[in-house]
Amino acid sequence: MQSKIYELLEHNQDLLKDRRLVIAGAVTDERVLNLCLSCKSASVITDNLLCARRMAAMIGQECSDKRRQRFSYKHLNVFFDTIDEASSALESLDALLLILDKSKAQNSKIISLIASRLEDNALVLCAGENNGGGKSADTLLKALGDPCKADSRRKCTLFATELKNRPALPKTSPALTLEIDGTELTLAQDEAVFSMGRVDPGTRMLLETLGDVCAGRRALDLGCGCGVAGIFMKKKGALSVTSTDISAAALALCAKNAALNQVSLEIKAADSLDFEGKFDLIAVNPPFHQGNGFERQTALGIIKKAASHLNQGGELRLVGNTFLGYGAYLNESFSDVEVLARDTRFCVYRAKNS
């Protein structure tokens, strides 16, 4: 939840009255829908499945496992979608509220894409926590006009400007071509998805342990990101691969990369293992960064639920930073646990549902 940012925006809600508004960026607090009540029309774009579910429920609708979804109620539209795809569906607007994403490149991309849908002199607002770039967000808006600080409270800052200049549309990053365990992969890139411009070392180590166990198996690429693990497992002979993620941007990139590599994946929106299904092989590199620190809860939730999603003899393959100590937790949920690979940074575990 973004309670600090929401309180800042709620205090400045009069700026949005009678506007044709779009809210985009790091939208994870469903209460932003309350900011839209006094608007003529409003669209909210979120990349986060959990937020999309909560917003859909607020307007009496339900979120499915589709990677692109849109919910409409009276003057309001909610998109669970990428900024590229959702922005193309927007009509003429006179206000943008950007909630800062952790990626400066992604913030710039959002502004560039939505600016083409804004009228001249449209209001552009940018809000974020000071330790997340909010204090210096005026730099982001200087390409559009002459920004000023509209408000600051609870260590969050709101900047505003009128749209005088339209930034150029972002350039597409070139695809990445690489080889892992003798398998060639071509991967399109996206600033909004983890490990832009490379396959991170932990994922590479995980994949290098998977090559000889994929054939004929029903596999799950959990938290698929760009789709590299699912594509790799399919190329290594997996009977079927389901790729899931909580992020609309990740799901879209996974679908794009599956097409680039000419493999068929079942791509679904899901929050971790909160869905029905059993598999012979689950591959996961769980996130552990949270702001400037780290957390184990996502991984621990996966470890506790994984056995119920594995067929008899099925395996969980999990990679994590060595210092996180996932081995002890795996031993609590599985009787057959083995370390397959380890270096000074990462450790790959195999846990078998025997």
Side-chain angles (χ1 to χ4, degrees):
M1 300 291 284
Q2 298 168 314
S3 59
K4 293 181 180 180
I5 295 175
Y6 177 74
E7 289 176 24
L8 171 68
L9 296 173
E10 186 179 42
H11 189 259
N12 290 276
Q13 191 166 355
D14 286 348
L15 293 172
L16 307 177
K17 187 175 181 180
D18 295 327
R19 293 282 187 176
R20 286 171 281 116
L21 171 71
V22 58
I23 302 176
V27 180
T28 60
D29 190 330
E30 70 277 10
R31 292 178 296 173
V32 297
L33 291 190
N34 297 329
L35 304 175
C36 304
L37 295 176
S38 62
C39 296
K40 285 184 180 178
S41 63
S43 295
V44 181
I45 304 169
T46 181
D47 179 69
N48 183 282
L49 176 65
L50 295 182
C51 184
R53 284 178 179 172
R54 295 190 296 263
M55 289 195 289
M58 287 176 70
I59 57 177
Q61 300 186 40
E62 290 187 5
C63 226
S64 71
D65 62 6
K66 293 181 180 179
R67 73 169 186 86
R68 298 185 66 196
Q69 300 180 62
R70 178 176 177 175
F71 314 98
S72 299
Y73 179 75
K74 295 184 178 180
H75 72 299
L76 177 65
N77 290 297
V78 174
F79 295 85
F80 171 65
D81 209 342
T82 67
I83 191 66
D84 307 71
E85 294 170 319
S87 62
S88 66
L90 299 176
E91 299 179 354
S92 181
L93 303 162
D94 65 8
L96 161 64
L97 169 57
L98 172 65
I99 300 176
L100 285 178
D101 187 90
K102 61 184 178 182
S103 165
K104 292 181 180 179
Q106 181 66 2
N107 292 328
S108 296
K109 177 181 178 179
I110 292 168
I111 287 177
S112 298
L113 288 172
I114 292 182
S116 64
R117 303 290 171 175
L118 296 174
E119 297 178 351
D120 291 342
N121 302 313
L123 175 66
V124 180
L125 299 168
C126 183
E129 294 190 30
N130 293 343
N131 62 5
K135 197 171 183 179
S136 58
D138 58 329
T139 304
L140 185 67
L141 299 182
K142 284 180 180 177
L144 308 181
D146 185 17
C148 65
K149 183 186 290 187
D151 197 5
S152 180
R153 61 183 59 234
R154 295 203 63 192
K155 298 182 180 180
C156 298
T157 304
L158 176 67
F159 283 94
T161 191
E162 289 186 354
L163 181 65
K164 302 297 184 182
N165 308 306
R166 298 180 186 274
L169 292 174
K171 295 180 180 179
T172 302
S173 299
L176 179 68
T177 301
L178 68 155
E179 184 178 300
I180 299 177
D181 193 32
T183 299
E184 187 172 293
L185 302 165
T186 301
L187 302 173
Q189 304 295 296
D190 188 336
E191 296 89 348
V193 180
F194 171 67
S195 199
M196 166 73 178
R198 66 191 181 108
V199 172
D200 71 282
T203 296
R204 179 181 283 273
M205 182 183 287
L206 172 65
L207 298 185
E208 288 171 348
T209 73
L210 286 173
D212 59 350
V213 297
C214 297
R217 292 197 166 191
R218 299 183 183 277
L220 170 64
D221 178 9
L222 181 60
C224 63
C226 70
V228 61
I231 294 166
F232 178 85
M233 290 189 288
K234 189 68 175 177
K235 284 194 169 189
K236 287 294 189 180
L239 180 65
S240 65
V241 175
T242 300
S243 298
T244 66
D245 208 289
I246 198 171
S247 160
L251 296 170
L253 186 59
C254 180
K256 183 176 183 178
N257 283 329
L260 278 176
N261 289 274
Q262 299 180 319
V263 300
S264 175
L265 306 177
E266 182 182 14
I267 299 172
K268 299 166 61 173
D271 173 25
S272 189
L273 284 170
D274 188 19
F275 64 96
E276 299 295 325
K278 287 201 171 187
F279 305 89
D280 304 311
L281 178 62
I282 299 174
V284 61
N285 180 1
F288 74 94
H289 286 292
Q290 188 175 63
N292 296 322
F294 65 90
E295 58 91 20
R296 293 187 179 92
Q297 295 311 308
T298 299
L300 298 188
I302 291 169
I303 290 169
K304 288 179 181 179
K305 293 181 179 180
S308 65
H309 287 270
L310 287 169
N311 294 318
Q312 189 72 23
E315 298 181 12
L316 169 66
R317 297 287 180 97
L318 180 147
V319 63
N321 285 68
T322 304
F323 73 87
L324 293 171
Y326 290 144
Y329 301 102
L330 285 162
N331 281 314
E332 291 177 2
S333 297
F334 293 87
S335 59
D336 186 354
V337 178
E338 181 183 358
V339 173
L340 298 179
R342 183 195 296 269
D343 64 16
T344 56
R345 294 181 61 198
F346 298 102
C347 186
V348 178
Y349 301 92
R350 177 192 65 84
K352 191 173 183 179
N353 190 26
S354 53

